[in-house]
Amino acid sequence: QVQLVESGGGLVQAGGSLSLSCATSGRTFSLYAMGWFRQAPGKEREFVAAIDVSGSRLFYTNSVKDRFTISRGNAKNTVYLQMNSLKPEDSAVYYCAADRTVVTPWSPNYWGQGTQVTVSS
């Protein structure tokens, strides 16, 4: 079982930056691909970014490419999402996710509780 706990959400003005973190439990973090999804009010949950087990393959949805960066720190059992040049349309609840592999489309088995990101215009 993998438990995921997100942190780092908050309120920021458009053009600003936020960094999200997702801490995982257990000793098997390095065996899991990790990623982020988001869900805005009235919309379906959508994929944002993912990183494979080795950290060498990164995946992004088109709308966040060149603005968001996903990374992982295996020593700290943590995955990060650095979000720059934020836009109001990035406002959503952001969920950390994990599974043994990343496939397209990705439907991971493990989810965090979510952290709110609000970008004001």
Side-chain angles (χ1 to χ4, degrees):
Q1 187 72 13
V2 178
Q3 294 183 330
L4 309 173
V5 179
E6 303 97 336
S7 61
L11 174 64
V12 65
Q13 289 188 333
S17 298
L18 278 176
S19 181
L20 304 183
S21 300
C22 174
T24 65
S25 63
R27 296 171 290 180
T28 58
F29 172 79
S30 62
L31 300 180
Y32 285 85
M34 304 294 298
W36 295 90
F37 287 71
R38 66 187 180 186
Q39 187 169 20
K43 295 187 177 181
E44 294 186 354
R45 187 174 299 187
E46 66 169 348
F47 170 79
V48 176
I51 185 168
D52 72 348
V53 171
S54 68
S56 61
R57 296 178 65 205
L58 309 180
F59 307 84
Y60 297 97
T61 191
N62 286 339
S63 63
V64 308
K65 284 181 180 178
D66 300 323
R67 299 190 298 122
F68 291 10
T69 302
I70 188 170
S71 60
R72 64 187 297 156
N74 286 351
K76 296 183 178 180
N77 289 358
T78 302
V79 63
Y80 307 95
L81 185 68
Q82 177 64 41
M83 305 184 293
N84 299 327
S85 302
L86 283 161
K87 305 175 181 180
E89 51 264 42
D90 294 318
S91 297
V93 177
Y94 282 69
Y95 297 90
C96 180
D99 211 328
R100 296 301 297 266
T101 60
V102 177
V103 296
T104 303
W106 195 34
S107 298
N109 284 314
Y110 303 102
W111 295 88
Q113 293 299 308
T115 185
Q116 177 70 47
V117 171
T118 303
V119 184
S120 63
S121 59

